[in-house]
Amino acid sequence: DTGVSQNPRHKITKRGQNVTFRCDPISEHNRLYWYRQTLGQGPEFLTYFQNEAQLEKSRLLSDRFSAERPKGSFSTLEIQRTEQGDSAMYLCASSASTEQFFGPGTRLTVL
Amino acid sequence: QKEVEQDPGPLSVPEGAIVSLNCTYSNSAFQYFMWYRQYSRKGPELLMYTYSSGNKEDGRFTAQVDKSSKYISLFIRDSQPSDSATYLCAMVDTGRRALTFGSGTRLQVQP
């Protein structure tokens, strides 16, 4: 059973560096989502793809953040010029309908 | 005011107790309701998904939705120490795909 996978699981970086995360959704799911979760809070929506089209972006997704899903399969989330406030768990989810299934997340620490 | 309110807990109960977890919401456009379980430093795991008002049962879990009161509940019967986790409610409105989460309730089941 292959669920949603995310890599890396942990990333420590210095402020000002760029980082990129990868998400591989469940294979038959055409919808893919990125969320961010900070300690003691629920996940907050960042962006959503249907196949390769990015259909919705949250106000949380500043211009330092970019996401792609070039062939409608895996997706990448890049953060440029990281800030300490970017430290969080970045979660990817996929769905074929309304129910969304989450990956294990990538924990980012910005020093 | 947040769109979804959830008591953060922690909620501590003895093994075998019935647990009641609740969320209230303000957006009447929310139509789909989910409960996720999240263990420490892991991704959220989908437990229950409901659409209409009423009850839905799955094993030891019962999800209840009251759209007139904008109130949802998750009941856990015969709670086990392995149920110790953070429980997140999540909702989707008809015009979007993104989930809106509560902040989560931390549950501790004492053996």
Side-chain angles (χ1 to χ4, degrees), chain B residues 32-90:
Chain B
Y32 301 90
F33 305 91
M34 294 162 217
W35 285 96
Y36 286 84
R37 176 174 64 195
Q38 187 173 30
Y39 292 111
S40 182
R41 298 182 176 269
K42 305 289 187 186
E45 173 193 5
L46 181 63
L47 286 176
M48 299 286 285
Y49 161 64
T50 56
Y51 169 69
S52 57
S53 284
N55 293 354
K56 180 177 180 180
E57 191 172 317
D58 184 1
R60 295 186 297 112
F61 299 93
T62 299
Q64 192 173 78
V65 174
D66 182 348
K67 289 185 180 179
S68 63
S69 300
K70 297 189 180 68
Y71 188 89
I72 68 170
S73 299
L74 178 71
F75 299 96
I76 307 174
R77 290 182 297 281
D78 188 25
S79 56
Q80 304 294 310
S82 58
D83 294 327
S84 298
T86 295
Y87 289 80
L88 297 155
C89 63

